[in-house]
Amino acid sequence: MTEAQRIREFICSLEPDESPLLEQIGEKARAERVPIIRKETGAFLKTLVTALRPKAVLEVGTAVGYSALLMAEALEPGGHITTIENYEKRICAARENFRKAGRQEEITLLEGDAGKILPTLPREAFDLVFMDAAKGQYLFWLPAVLERLRPGGVLLSDNVLQDGDILQSRFAVERRDRTIHSRMREYLFQLKRTDGLETSIVPVGDGVTVSVKKAGPIR
């Protein structure tokens, strides 16, 4: 076991137990290899929601609803989550999990392709956006996401380090992963170099970026 793995295990060992329903959803998702956020990423996300106290949250990538329910636990009264999912089987599971949690009024699930749905959402309507869907699409969704984020709002993007592959040359990764690798590198470059954004890359879980939208135009 590497030092990084030992540190991760230690951090995870400090986490308090989740609610029984979240624990059940998480265990089932991991057993079925459904991509949900890692435990330490979930703790980071929940802390961020608690600190920001967002009234309107947008999530791109619902999966089975695990992260949406995690955020819902940290929302203040009156807060609302809009989440987008394109995979029919996961949509059904997420709706059932929201029902079991009694969170149907706090969470709106939009079914379909995020690339088509995002432009239909109101501009500058969200205080927090959590990006956790198809990694190769982050770059293409970014303009529409930033238009939906209010000034002072935060964009959190997950899985940006790709289990360390992001450090490798394009030709050192599997051929099937090269397009995603190139697009993620370009996405990170855009977040760091775009005027109007302040971005930090945080090596928690599989890597997250935290981007704050400044007042004024995005260039």
Side-chain angles (χ1 to χ4, degrees):
M1 185 182 295
T2 66
E3 183 176 352
Q5 289 171 327
R6 289 197 299 271
I7 290 172
R8 179 181 181 272
E9 285 201 0
F10 173 70
I11 291 171
C12 289
S13 73
L14 297 174
E15 289 298 319
D17 292 338
E18 296 176 329
S19 66
L21 178 59
L22 266 182
E23 188 73 32
Q24 179 186 9
I25 294 169
E27 287 182 0
K28 186 173 188 293
R30 294 181 186 101
E32 296 177 355
R33 302 182 69 84
V34 175
I36 62 171
I37 56 175
R38 301 184 185 185
K39 193 167 186 178
E40 65 273 33
T41 307
F44 184 82
L45 176 61
K46 197 169 182 180
T47 300
L48 193 64
V49 172
T50 302
L52 294 174
R53 303 167 66 187
K55 289 296 184 184
V57 177
L58 173 62
E59 178 183 53
V60 184
T62 314
V64 294
Y66 178 82
S67 50
L69 289 173
L70 195 71
M71 289 190 285
E73 289 185 352
L75 279 182
E76 295 200 337
H80 191 85
I81 298 169
T82 300
T83 183
I84 303 171
E85 179 56 50
N86 195 34
Y87 186 26
E88 186 174 347
K89 184 176 179 182
R90 292 177 186 162
I91 289 170
C92 294
R95 289 199 184 281
E96 177 62 12
N97 289 332
F98 297 156
R99 185 196 65 77
K100 288 179 180 177
R103 299 281 188 179
Q104 304 99 310
E105 298 301 316
E106 298 164 71
I107 303 174
T108 297
L109 199 166
L110 303 179
E111 303 179 23
D113 183 349
K116 296 178 180 178
I117 292 175
L118 284 168
T120 70
L121 300 177
R123 297 191 175 206
E124 297 189 352
F126 298 96
D127 308 299
L128 172 66
V129 178
F130 180 43
M131 189 100 82
D132 189 28
K135 315 311 169 196
Q137 300 303 310
Y138 282 15
L139 182 64
F140 304 116
W141 292 334
L142 183 60
V145 165
L146 293 179
E147 287 179 352
R148 270 77 217 162
L149 191 63
R150 68 165 181 79
V154 171
L155 165 62
L156 182 72
S157 307
D158 196 19
N159 301 115
V160 299
L161 298 183
Q162 301 182 325
D163 287 317
D165 280 354
I166 200 71
L167 304 176
Q168 305 297 326
S169 159
R170 179 175 184 270
F171 299 102
V173 300
E174 295 277 349
R175 182 180 295 273
R176 67 188 179 195
D177 297 328
R178 288 178 183 173
T179 298
I180 293 176
H181 177 271
S182 297
R183 289 178 181 177
M184 185 57 76
R185 280 200 164 195
E186 178 62 22
Y187 181 70
L188 294 176
F189 182 86
Q190 292 290 344
L191 290 181
K192 293 295 289 186
R193 302 301 177 92
T194 296
D195 289 339
L197 286 182
E198 191 65 47
T199 297
S200 180
I201 302 172
V202 184
V204 62
D206 190 26
V208 298
T209 55
V210 182
S211 305
V212 180
K213 182 179 177 180
K214 302 177 183 178
I218 297 287
R219 296 190 299 272

